[in-house]
Amino acid sequence: MSMAPVSFCALIPARLASTRLPNKPLADLGGKPMVVRVAEQALRSGAQRVVVAADDPTIVTACAAHGIEAVLTRTDHLSGSDRLAEACTLLGLDGDALVVNVQGDEPLIDPALVRACAELLAAHPECDVATAAHAIESPADFANPNVVKVVLDQQQRALYFSRAPIPWWRDGSQAGTPALPTPAIGAALRHIGLYAYRAGYLRRFPQLSPAPLEQLESLEQLRVLWHGGRIAVYTAGTAPAPGVDTPEDLARVRAFFPG
C-alpha cells in the first residue's frame, strides 16, 4: 500500500534591504525577479501552496505579475522565521500544517530537497523541525567557522549545531589541528539552511527566549534545542547549489538563467 503524498506549504521570506546586494529579491534572472525563480523551484517540489512573505509592496507586485502568491508582512522582523510566523497567521494556516522555509536568495534550490524536509517532518511526529545536511569532504570546510556543522543521534535527530569542527576526532587530530573524520568512523556533516516546521510551532518560535548558545554561535536553530525541541535531519547525497549574497554570486547564478 503506497503512502499518501505529504501535503505542505512552501513559504519564502523576502526582504528588500540587503547590505551586500540592494533590492536582492528583485534582481533580474533571465527576465524574472530572483524571488519568482525561487518560488518556481518551490512549486516543482510538489508543494500545495507557495507564498512569498515580503516586507515591501514592490515585491508583492513583482510576484503578482508572474502569478506568484505573496503576502505583505511587517518591516521590523529580526529574522526570516519571525517573518514566516506572521505569514502563517495572515494565511490562517492550521497548527498542524507543514511549512517549509525556502530562502529567498536560493534560485537554484533543489525541489527534491524541499520535499524531503517536509516528508521527514511528517514522518517524525516527535520532532518540531526538520532540516538537512550533507557530508563534508574538505578539511578546510571542516575547520571553517562559516561552515555550520551538525552532529546527529541514532534517530537522525540533531544533537548540536556549531561553527566549530564537530565531532572532534581525538585520535586523528594532531597538535590542535582538527582532522576530518572518515565516513567509516562517522562522517562530519554540513548543515543546509532549509527548514520544515509545523505552523503552530513556527508561530510559537518567536516567543521563545533567545538561547545563550544561540547568541554565542550566532545560530538561531540552537534556540529550538535549548528549549527542548527536536530537529530531524535529512542527509542529502550532494551539496546544494550556493545561494546569492553578493554581486559576484548574482553574476554566477545568472549563467543558469539565460534571457
Side-chain angles (χ1 to χ4, degrees):
M1 185 177 72
S2 62
M3 292 179 60
V6 171
S7 175
F8 66 98
C9 174
L11 296 183
I12 303 168
R15 192 169 64 93
L16 198 62
S18 172
T19 52
R20 288 186 287 182
L21 192 61
N23 298 329
K24 183 162 67 168
L26 302 179
D28 182 81
L29 292 177
K32 294 181 182 179
M34 177 158 56
V35 70
V36 169
R37 294 293 190 184
V38 174
E40 289 174 342
Q41 287 296 92
L43 283 165
R44 294 184 183 105
S45 72
Q48 275 63 46
R49 193 176 186 184
V50 174
V51 185
V52 172
D55 75 339
D56 191 278
T58 58
I59 299 175
V60 176
T61 300
C63 289
H66 294 277
I68 299 297
E69 186 178 3
V71 292
L72 184 62
T73 57
R74 301 200 320 266
T75 58
D76 59 350
H77 288 303
L78 297 177
S79 71
S81 52
D82 291 331
R83 190 170 309 288
L84 295 196
E86 184 190 356
C88 285
T89 300
L90 291 173
L91 296 170
L93 297 182
D94 183 82
D96 291 328
L98 298 182
V99 174
V100 181
N101 176 357
V102 179
Q103 296 301 317
D105 57 5
E106 297 193 7
L108 302 177
I109 187 77
D110 182 1
L113 189 60
V114 174
R115 180 163 201 85
C117 281
E119 291 178 335
L120 184 65
L121 187 58
H124 283 270
E126 83 283 6
C127 291
D128 302 290
V129 180
T131 189
H134 69 87
I136 297 174
E137 298 178 352
S138 159
D141 283 348
F142 189 51
N144 185 350
N146 294 318
V147 173
V148 178
K149 275 70 69 172
V150 60
V151 173
L152 311 183
D153 68 11
Q154 64 177 344
Q155 265 89 46
Q156 305 301 297
R157 299 178 305 209
L159 287 170
Y160 191 62
F161 297 86
S162 182
R163 297 182 182 279
I166 57 171
W168 185 275
W169 184 16
R170 188 196 66 174
D171 295 337
S173 304
Q174 295 181 346
T177 301
L180 181 63
T182 62
I185 297 171
L189 297 174
R190 177 179 188 162
H191 178 229
I192 299 170
L194 180 71
Y195 297 95
Y197 311 82
R198 289 180 182 83
Y201 183 81
L202 183 54
R203 278 194 286 260
R204 291 195 305 274
F205 182 77
Q207 273 72 57
L208 297 176
S209 59
L213 288 171
E214 167 193 356
Q215 295 171 322
L216 278 171
E217 296 254 20
S218 192
L219 296 174
E220 192 181 50
Q221 63 269 35
L222 289 173
R223 190 184 311 180
V224 178
L225 301 181
W226 175 266
H227 287 279
R230 287 176 168 169
I231 302 176
V233 181
Y234 171 79
T235 301
T238 57
V244 176
D245 287 318
T246 66
E248 292 75 21
D249 293 338
L250 182 60
R252 174 179 41 76
V253 168
R254 275 186 171 140
F256 292 89
F257 299 97

